[in-house]
Amino acid sequence: MENKKVRIALTKGRIENKAVDLLEKIGYDVSELRNKGRKLILSISGEDIEVVLAKAADVITYVEHGVCDFGIVGKDTIMEHGGKFYEIADLGFGRCRFALAVKEGADFFAGYGVKTVATKYPNVTRRHFEEMGIDVDIVKIEGSVELAPLVGLADGIVDIVETGTTLKENGLEVFHDVAPISARLIVNTVSLKLKQERILEIVDKIKENLE
Ligand code: PRP
């Protein structure tokens, strides 16, 4: 039946391999996913499941619009992007954190002036400082945010820290943690109603196979 078909949106890059490993672990044939070349829509043979590969924010967009039933996406993107979907499981991989980082030895809170924070995640950053009751100026940067404090654009950055190598190699250090991050399973709200049995069957399989 057409509406039993399930489509999963998977975030390309960093968490992709772990997500494919998980699908394999639950018994799916992931050979097309392992040998995908430049293909963006892949099928899992023997299952009525299609996998699409997309950038993190687009994974959320596809799930929100209901063209994908499931999404596998980092909590970082969920926190920044928001949206209407169910966050149904913490998949446990892709673990890292949001942190406020400064130049080595710097005290972010020193002095009285309003501090400037550079980030690719302005919503996460705004909420974090609002919760702390601290007024900051936020500058949106598209990438290599570590540069901003080095060239004097910002007093600190809010960014993803995994191993800490990028900070270290650029003379920066974590001032404090902002939030933990890991890959999450999200589900379209309507799919969960219309294909409940099939969706929950997959969710159960995934949950059983989490490390
Ligand atoms: C993130 C982040 C840091 C780096 C941290 O970038 O912006 O640059 O990873 O990792 P580390 O603590 O292990 O050094 P990412 O690789 O996700 O690329 P991006 O700049 O495109 O976000």
Side-chain angles (χ1 to χ4, degrees):
M1 241 166 59
E2 166 62 20
N3 81 340
K4 294 288 178 200
K5 206 172 191 179
V6 166
R7 197 180 282 147
I8 305 175
L10 216 158
T11 303
K12 283 195 282 193
R14 227 172 235 261
I15 60 174
E16 182 179 331
N17 282 341
K18 291 268 188 185
V20 174
D21 289 347
L22 176 62
L23 295 176
E24 186 168 43
K25 218 168 154 197
I26 66 180
Y28 295 152
D29 175 1
V30 295
S31 47
E32 247 204 59
L33 281 158
R34 297 255 190 241
N35 306 297
K36 62 182 163 56
R38 308 285 296 176
K39 260 183 110 172
L40 298 173
I41 303 188
L42 298 314
S43 50
I44 290 179
S45 74
E47 297 281 341
D48 216 358
I49 298 178
E50 225 170 47
V51 177
V52 310
L53 292 167
K55 282 188 83 164
D58 298 336
V59 165
I60 294 181
T61 303
Y62 288 126
V63 171
E64 272 195 298
H65 285 256
V67 294
C68 290
D69 305 290
F70 284 107
I72 294 181
V73 63
K75 183 69 177 175
D76 51 328
T77 309
I78 294 175
M79 286 173 71
E80 180 62 21
H81 188 286
K84 194 169 165 283
F85 49 80
Y86 295 123
E87 188 183 315
I88 218 152
D90 181 344
L91 299 174
F93 54 81
R95 279 195 194 286
C96 50
R97 59 197 162 128
F98 274 127
L100 171 67
V102 296
K103 283 207 260 186
E104 267 164 19
D107 178 4
F108 183 78
F109 294 125
Y112 293 102
V114 172
K115 297 293 190 295
T116 301
V117 180
T119 186
K120 274 190 294 187
Y121 303 89
N123 294 326
V124 170
T125 303
R126 182 180 27 79
R127 279 201 306 271
H128 173 66
F129 285 103
E130 269 172 16
E131 276 164 21
M132 292 185 77
I134 295 169
D135 194 20
V136 293
D137 287 331
I138 296 169
V139 181
K140 170 91 193 288
I141 295 286
E142 295 299 330
S144 302
V145 185
E146 294 83 5
L147 248 184
L150 301 178
V151 296
L153 176 66
D155 301 290
I157 61 172
V158 166
D159 199 18
I160 293 171
V161 179
E162 191 179 1
T163 61
T165 310
T166 311
L167 292 181
K168 200 162 194 278
E169 289 191 2
N170 290 290
L172 303 173
E173 64 185 11
V174 169
F175 188 74
H176 65 222
D177 283 355
V178 171
I181 296 168
S182 57
R184 305 296 161 103
L185 181 68
I186 62 170
V187 179
N188 172 267
T189 51
V190 178
S191 299
L192 193 57
K193 287 200 187 84
L194 298 185
K195 308 181 196 175
Q196 194 175 43
E197 212 175 306
R198 183 76 177 110
I199 296 280
L200 291 181
E201 184 192 319
I202 295 172
V203 170
D204 284 347
K205 271 195 197 177
I206 288 176
K207 283 186 171 171
E208 280 163 21
N209 282 281
L210 294 180
E211 279 156 24

